[in-house]
Amino acid sequence: MEPDSDAPAHPGGGDMIESKEETRGAWVVVAVKGRADAEAADQLEATLRAAVGQHSKVAADFSALDYISSAGLRAVLQAARTAQMTAVEFAVCGMSASVKKVFDMSGMHHVLTIHGELPC
Amino acid sequence: MVLNGNLSELSRLTAEVARFCGEHRLGDEVEYDLSLVMEELFVNSVTHGGCKGIEGAAEFELSLVAGGISLEYADRGKPFDPTQAPIPDITAPLAERPDGGLGIHLMRQIMCDIEYHRVDGWNRTRMRRPIPAEGT
């Protein structure tokens, strides 16, 4: 599924990550699947920022995210900054233990709202 | 394994880490950690070290050693000693949080015994992903 963004397609062919947007109550849930590495980071940032730009409560569902590196973390931080500047609620949810370990090592809990489960 | 200075090499790098970890039955956590550290080192070389577009810009080798996995990484970029890189403030508020340095911070969290040498125009870094002995 194509993300709702203007991110350039991966030059090698298909998208590196897949995303899907769904409205659940007051929240818009952006489910992200795949590997958020340095090649996919721009696509992830565009996807999350597009959602944050259009909705007042955005939950990034990372339960199907297999991997994230510092480049992927920066994409999430950029989306969180956009959300903070525009008073949008932004939460990251459902991370696997391995992805959460990278968030924890990076101190992301200091600056992000993180939920084990979706808030809706 | 030799890598060209292009981020599209990440998929080959990841596949080689997976092959090594599968061959030695190291498990998903070790594979994730090694993939992450390798990506951080390589992306740093390409995006900040001047390796972009250079053929044979970097190389790495994984091997089993006492107490874990040894990773030797070398690149032909400008001198960069990861043991001396400044530590980012990961407790800073969102607006003030620096974007740089996070990859090297993660590497230092995961790896130990990090050694750096500059040799004949190459950055050479050696480190170990510790694996506790069984039963400890």
Side-chain angles (χ1 to χ4, degrees), chain A residues 35 37-39 66-70 73-74 77-78 80-81 84 98-99 101-102 105-108 110-111, chain B residues 7-8 10 14 29 32-33 35-36 39-40 43 90-95 97 99 102-103 105-106 109-110:
Chain A
R35 291 177 67 84
D37 63 10
E39 272 210 286
D66 300 323
Y67 172 92
I68 196 163
S69 64
S70 70
L73 291 178
R74 275 192 291 276
L77 284 172
Q78 284 302 111
R81 284 193 184 107
Q84 191 179 58
S98 49
V99 168
K101 181 175 143 184
V102 181
M105 285 191 290
S106 309
M108 298 289 272
H110 293 296
V111 290
Chain B
L7 291 187
S8 65
L10 279 176
T14 303
E29 188 179 357
Y32 192 115
D33 284 357
S35 289
L36 179 63
E39 174 182 334
E40 302 300 352
V43 169
I90 61 166
T91 64
L94 195 53
R97 206 182 144 112
D99 266 354
L102 197 50
H105 166 75
L106 288 170
Q109 296 279 303
I110 293 167

Side-chain angles (χ1 to χ4, degrees), chain A residues 17-71:
Chain A
I17 52 170
E18 295 175 30
S19 62
K20 188 171 68 174
E21 230 180 77
E22 189 186 344
T23 303
R24 288 198 208 174
W27 288 83
V28 167
V29 177
V30 183
V32 182
K33 184 178 174 183
R35 291 177 67 84
D37 63 10
E39 272 210 286
D42 287 351
Q43 189 190 341
L44 177 63
E45 183 178 332
T47 299
L48 295 177
R49 288 178 75 167
V52 165
Q54 290 165 16
H55 308 288
S56 58
K57 288 175 185 273
V58 175
D61 177 3
F62 281 177
S63 55
L65 190 69
D66 300 323
Y67 172 92
I68 196 163
S69 64
S70 70

Side-chain angles (χ1 to χ4, degrees), chain B residues 3-49:
Chain B
L3 299 164
N4 297 320
N6 189 315
L7 291 187
S8 65
E9 290 283 75
L10 279 176
S11 53
R12 226 159 52 82
L13 185 162
T14 303
E16 172 57 17
V17 171
R19 189 204 62 75
F20 177 86
C21 291
E23 183 182 321
H24 298 288
R25 299 171 183 272
L26 294 170
D28 292 343
E29 188 179 357
V30 172
E31 182 181 331
Y32 192 115
D33 284 357
L34 290 173
S35 289
L36 179 63
V37 170
M38 281 302 314
E39 174 182 334
E40 302 300 352
L41 286 164
F42 179 64
V43 169
N44 210 47
S45 304
V46 173
T47 57
H48 304 299

